[in-house]
Amino acid sequence: MTEELLRRVSAVMVAAIESTGALVISVGAIWAAIRFVVDGLRHRDPTVFVPIRLSLGRFLTLGLEFQLAADILRTAAAPTFSQIGQLAAIATIRTALNYFLRREVAQEQRQQQGDRDQRRSAQAP
Amino acid sequence: MIRLLATVLTGFALGSAAGVLLLTASWRAALRTLLELLMAAGLVRLAAAQSWTDLAAAAAIVVIRNLLSTALLSPPPRPPGWSAAPRRSE
């Protein structure tokens, strides 16, 4: 009885957390898609997309954190090896992507900072 | 519901990339936009992954996106003899 109750509560929590992650990713992606077009229309210059890409990267990272939490919670009720295997594969994909996204966001931030410093030193008398 | 959301995101990805290509005439920017947004759609679809095929498709998108992003992030090759420093007139 307790185990059944724990499984049901766990299933509800997993669904809620995973949906939150999916929602965060979707909101970030739709916002970025619209901003790409609006800023492209305004400036006609691909360099203005860097801050949009950084923000999208942050949205994706946050969404992935929620989904990883759901993956961990899901292992509480994974009765077959096939399900455990699928969970492991999903968690690996998400963890690897999280790592690459964080690295790219840091790299683009450093590039942006470098460009800003270069412009400042070019403007300085 | 999640699959529908992933499909909507895929539509946004294609539309946004087409818009970027038309507005900036930069295929790199358009391709990066497409890859980023398709990856977002793939991540959402991963939440509804029911089979190993779905997982493999999501993993493939992530790998392709990372490989292409690394290639696109590196600056384009410069012609031989090109120098970044301005030439001083003598």
Side-chain angles (χ1 to χ4, degrees):
Chain A
M1 176 85 172
T2 314
E3 204 178 300
E4 184 56 37
L5 180 65
L6 183 66
R7 263 204 200 126
R8 282 191 195 174
V9 167
S10 171
V12 168
M13 286 176 66
V14 163
I17 295 170
E18 185 124 75
S19 304
T20 307
L23 188 64
V24 166
I25 290 171
S26 305
V27 164
I30 292 171
W31 171 86
I34 294 170
R35 282 290 306 275
F36 277 129
V37 174
V38 167
D39 282 14
L41 201 60
R42 234 182 249 162
H43 304 279
R44 310 267 173 166
D45 179 10
T47 54
V48 304
F49 295 151
V50 174
I52 303 170
R53 208 174 285 124
L54 280 175
S55 295
L56 176 60
R58 285 189 208 109
F59 269 104
L60 293 181
T61 310
L62 179 61
L64 275 168
E65 300 280 8
F66 277 105
Q67 291 185 329
L68 279 167
D71 291 339
I72 292 167
L73 208 54
R74 207 180 269 128
T75 57
T80 67
F81 273 115
S82 174
Q83 284 178 321
I84 291 172
Q86 281 188 345
L87 277 176
I90 292 171
T92 306
I93 292 167
R94 287 177 177 160
T95 306
L97 186 57
N98 209 356
Y99 167 75
F100 284 117
L101 272 173
R102 282 176 186 272
R103 214 174 64 165
E104 280 175 27
V105 166
Q107 197 177 355
E108 295 232 31
Q109 274 175 334
R110 275 198 300 271
Q111 233 171 8
Q112 254 196 330
Q113 186 61 39
D115 289 344
R116 264 201 294 265
D117 290 343
Q118 249 183 350
R119 260 182 267 136
R120 241 181 253 139
S121 58
Q123 285 169 1
Chain B
M1 179 69 187
I2 288 202
R3 285 187 188 272
L4 176 65
L5 193 54
T7 308
V8 167
L9 286 181
T10 306
F12 267 97
L14 294 168
S16 186
V20 165
L21 183 62
L22 287 169
L23 293 168
T24 64
S26 165
W27 65 269
R28 276 171 177 256
L31 187 56
R32 282 195 79 176
T33 304
L34 181 67
L35 288 172
E36 303 274 353
L37 295 173
L38 278 181
M39 190 181 63
L43 286 177
V44 170
R45 195 172 278 117
L46 200 57
Q50 301 293 328
S51 66
W52 288 104
T53 314
D54 289 336
L55 277 173
I61 291 172
V62 166
V63 166
I64 291 168
R65 181 255 174 205
N66 281 331
L67 285 173
L68 283 176
S69 282
T70 309
L72 290 172
L73 263 176
S74 40
R78 297 200 169 111
W82 186 89
S83 169
R87 289 177 189 273
R88 280 198 197 142
S89 54
E90 282 160 358

